[in-house]
């Protein structure tokens, strides 16, 4: 009876874990779509800048997040089906996806740790490029991009490196933002870095969760070998079926 009890507990625990895996995949999918459709990122992606790295970073974050979310959702659904149907094939497929995803998220987490400041620097380079072309060269295209950025981020100009009071230049602000004194470099960098930190937390949570699931799976297979030795060849699946029949 003790073995039968622990088999039921393990099955329930794995079902709950699979539910969290599926929910985590849905959350990452939602965050990835927000990154794609949010005006804060679209307005920067539309800027034509020689050797613009933001488009590559934006595309990597989008498609990487979508890939991770689909694998998580697929693995959660397959593992749930495997537990309900008691199919070892489905469970093996699901846990293989999670093991592969663990390796991928470790690499993503390492890149996030080593290139964390690069995203903020790229955003600053874009604004500095537009700001210089508009104030020095009177570029109308740069002025239009600046107006879009100011409208989306609700900021106006940037702090002058020669002015301790950080005066805002009026010729970079649309009329509807008169009186706004938020520094665009600070506002844009803070927003983008906050989104990057959210992605980093999701990557970290995915790494820890997939590692935990794989450890649980390893313990499950070890327990199954012990059950086989103790019950004369019957596995946990057979015991569970015998419990249902009785």
């Amino acid at each position: 009876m003790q073995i039968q009890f622990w088999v039921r507990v393990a099955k329930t625990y794995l079902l709950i874990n699979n539910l969290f895996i599926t929910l985590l995949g849905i959350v990452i999918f939602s965050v990835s779509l927000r990154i794609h459709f949010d005006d804060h990122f679209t307005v920067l992606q539309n800027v034509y800048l020689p050797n613009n790295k933001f488009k590559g970073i934006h595309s990597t974050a989008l498609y990487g997040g979508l890939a991770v979310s689909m694998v998580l959702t697929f693995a959660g659904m397959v593992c749930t089906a495997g537990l309900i149907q008691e199919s070892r094939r489905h469970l093996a497929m699901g846990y293989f996806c999670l093991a592969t995803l663990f390796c991928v998220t470790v690499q993503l987490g390492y890149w996030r740790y080593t290139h964390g400041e690069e995203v903020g620097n790229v955003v600053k380079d874009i604004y500095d490029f537009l700001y210089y072309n508009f104030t020095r060269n009177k570029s109308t295209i740069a002025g239009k991009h600046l107006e879009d950025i100011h409208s989306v981020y609700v900021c106006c100009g940037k702090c002058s490196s020669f002015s301790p009071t950080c005066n805002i230049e009026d010729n970079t602000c649309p009329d509807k933002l008169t009186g706004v004194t938020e520094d665009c470099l600070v506002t844009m960098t803070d927003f983008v870095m906050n989104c990057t930190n959210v992605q980093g937390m999701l990557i970290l949570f995915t790494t820890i969760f997939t590692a935990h699931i794989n450890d649980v799976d390893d313990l499950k297979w070890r327990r199954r070998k012990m059950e086989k030795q103790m019950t004369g060849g019957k596995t946990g699946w057979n015991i569970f079926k015998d419990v249902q029949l009785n």
Side-chain angles (χ1 to χ4, degrees):
M1 288 298 296
Q2 186 177 5
I3 295 177
Q4 298 169 0
F5 170 76
W6 285 113
V7 168
R8 290 178 174 176
V9 170
K11 187 174 182 179
T12 304
Y13 180 74
L14 290 174
L15 284 172
I16 295 174
N17 282 331
N18 294 335
L19 175 62
F20 279 109
I21 289 175
T22 306
L23 291 177
L24 180 60
I26 295 174
V27 170
I28 296 178
F29 182 79
S30 302
V31 172
S32 300
L33 288 182
R34 187 180 189 277
I35 290 175
H36 178 65
F37 292 106
D38 196 290
D39 292 338
H40 292 82
F41 298 99
T42 304
V43 72
L44 296 176
Q45 193 177 14
N46 292 335
V47 176
Y48 174 77
L49 178 66
N51 196 21
N52 188 358
K53 297 181 180 179
F54 185 80
K55 291 183 178 181
I57 295 175
H58 182 267
S59 299
T60 301
L62 170 64
Y63 296 115
L66 291 177
V68 170
S69 66
M70 287 188 290
V71 173
L72 275 174
T73 306
F74 174 77
M77 295 176 64
V78 169
C79 289
T80 301
L83 285 172
I84 295 175
Q85 299 177 6
E86 301 181 358
S87 172
R88 298 181 184 178
R89 181 179 301 177
H90 289 164
L91 284 175
M93 184 186 304
Y95 289 122
F96 174 77
C97 292
L98 292 177
T100 305
L101 187 60
F102 171 77
C103 300
V104 173
T105 52
V106 168
Q107 294 295 323
L108 291 175
Y110 176 77
W111 185 92
R112 168 68 181 82
Y113 178 77
T114 56
H115 297 79
E117 300 297 329
E118 183 177 344
V119 180
N121 293 332
V122 169
V123 172
K124 291 179 181 179
D125 291 341
I126 292 175
Y127 189 83
D128 286 336
F129 173 79
L130 295 174
Y131 190 88
Y132 177 83
N133 280 324
F134 180 65
T135 56
R136 304 298 181 183
N137 301 330
K138 305 302 179 181
S139 172
T140 56
I141 298 177
K144 180 62 171 63
H145 284 307
L146 281 176
E147 288 185 6
D148 293 339
I149 291 175
H150 293 156
S151 298
V152 171
Y153 284 93
V154 193
C155 61
C156 186
K158 65 177 183 177
C159 294
S160 173
S161 59
F162 302 101
S163 176
T165 58
C166 297
N167 294 323
I168 303 300
E169 298 185 19
D170 295 334
N171 60 349
T172 62
C173 301
D175 295 336
K176 62 181 180 180
L177 293 179
T178 302
V180 175
T181 58
E182 295 293 335
D183 183 359
C184 283
L185 289 179
V186 176
T187 303
M188 294 167 63
T189 304
D190 288 345
F191 179 85
V192 174
M193 291 306 298
N194 287 337
C195 294
T196 304
N197 291 334
V198 171
Q199 275 198 317
M201 290 299 297
L202 289 175
I203 291 173
L204 177 63
F205 190 72
T206 303
T207 304
I208 296 174
F209 207 81
T210 51
H212 169 69
I213 293 297
N214 288 323
D215 288 341
V216 171
D217 184 52
D218 181 63
L219 292 174
K220 182 187 68 176
W221 289 111
R222 290 184 182 181
R223 186 173 186 84
R224 183 173 295 175
K225 291 180 66 176
M226 294 176 59
E227 291 173 2
K228 194 172 183 179
Q229 295 175 356
M230 295 173 60
T231 58
K234 284 189 176 183
T235 63
W237 300 112
N238 301 122
I239 296 173
F240 187 79
K241 289 179 181 179
D242 291 343
V243 172
Q244 289 179 323
L245 292 175
N246 294 331

